[in-house]
Amino acid sequence: MAEPTKVHHHGRDAWAVTVRTPSLPYPLHVVVDPTAGILLSAEVEEAGYREELSELAFPAQLPDSRFEWNDALEAAEKAHQIRRDQIVASHGERSLPLPEFWPGGLDHFEPKAFDGDPATGQLAMDLYNDNAPADTPTMAVLIRQRPDTPFFEPGWVSDPEAFVHHWRDSTWQWTLAVWGRPLTPEELDRVIDSMPRD
């Protein structure tokens, strides 16, 4: 993430920052109110995405007596982190259910489980491919879940730049999102055929 810079946003002092992570195919530009920490705008130019808070008014300070503080959010975040740690611990890199075929080869993969549910077997994996050979997908997300559950699709799977495939086998339903270019029908068939069978 780049260092924040002071900007003026619709007559208001603000901070602007550009966020770059392996999970995002393009940089995310955000503008934040420096006092309240409220997001004023978010934009991914390459994807044609922009959201902007059009009107904001609040007093300079609010007394703490106006808020009922509780630990619910912190507890939910801690529970999610514990679940994520359990998923990662139970699926080391070598035991992740990864395809044995990938366009351009598997040598460039850096797979990582980032979410899941040990009780149901749901598993979400980033397939980083920072050194992808030319004309191969640059990033992928692979999600395994029970067939009777709604598709789990993190926000970036709905990215208009993502190419998303769904299929089922005898045990699981799968979601594969790729960036850079879509898989050809032949490549997708080979990926599906090379998946481990439970």
Side-chain angles (χ1 to χ4, degrees), residues 142-189:
L142 181 63
I143 299 165
R144 177 189 77 182
Q145 61 189 115
R146 288 186 1 211
D148 59 343
T149 56
F151 285 120
F152 170 67
E153 296 184 329
W156 60 92
V157 172
S158 60
D159 175 356
E161 300 290 319
F163 302 94
V164 181
H165 307 282
H166 297 287
W167 74 90
R168 289 185 179 195
D169 60 26
S170 59
T171 309
W172 304 103
Q173 70 180 0
W174 297 86
T175 299
L176 175 65
V178 296
W179 286 261
R181 73 160 176 84
L183 298 183
T184 67
E186 295 79 16
E187 288 171 338
L188 181 60
D189 286 344

Side-chain angles (χ1 to χ4, degrees), residues 46-137:
E46 294 83 353
Y49 162 78
R50 180 169 178 80
E51 287 188 31
E52 188 165 12
L53 185 63
S54 59
E55 201 172 316
L56 176 66
F58 52 86
Q61 291 184 335
L62 291 174
D64 281 346
S65 60
R66 292 285 303 268
F67 299 95
E68 290 183 19
W69 299 106
N70 63 51
D71 298 328
L73 180 59
E74 185 177 326
E77 288 175 353
K78 185 174 181 179
H80 181 72
Q81 185 61 47
I82 290 170
R83 188 181 75 180
R84 185 178 301 179
D85 291 346
Q86 290 171 336
I87 289 294
V88 172
S90 66
H91 287 87
E93 181 178 327
R94 288 179 171 49
S95 67
L96 291 173
L98 299 171
E100 293 181 12
F101 167 81
W102 191 256
L106 297 169
D107 297 341
H108 307 281
F109 263 176
E110 295 177 36
K112 178 182 175 189
F114 69 86
D115 203 350
D117 183 351
T120 65
Q122 177 180 315
L123 183 62
M125 299 161 282
D126 278 328
L127 305 179
Y128 295 119
N129 204 4
D130 289 339
N131 299 311
D135 196 36
T136 62

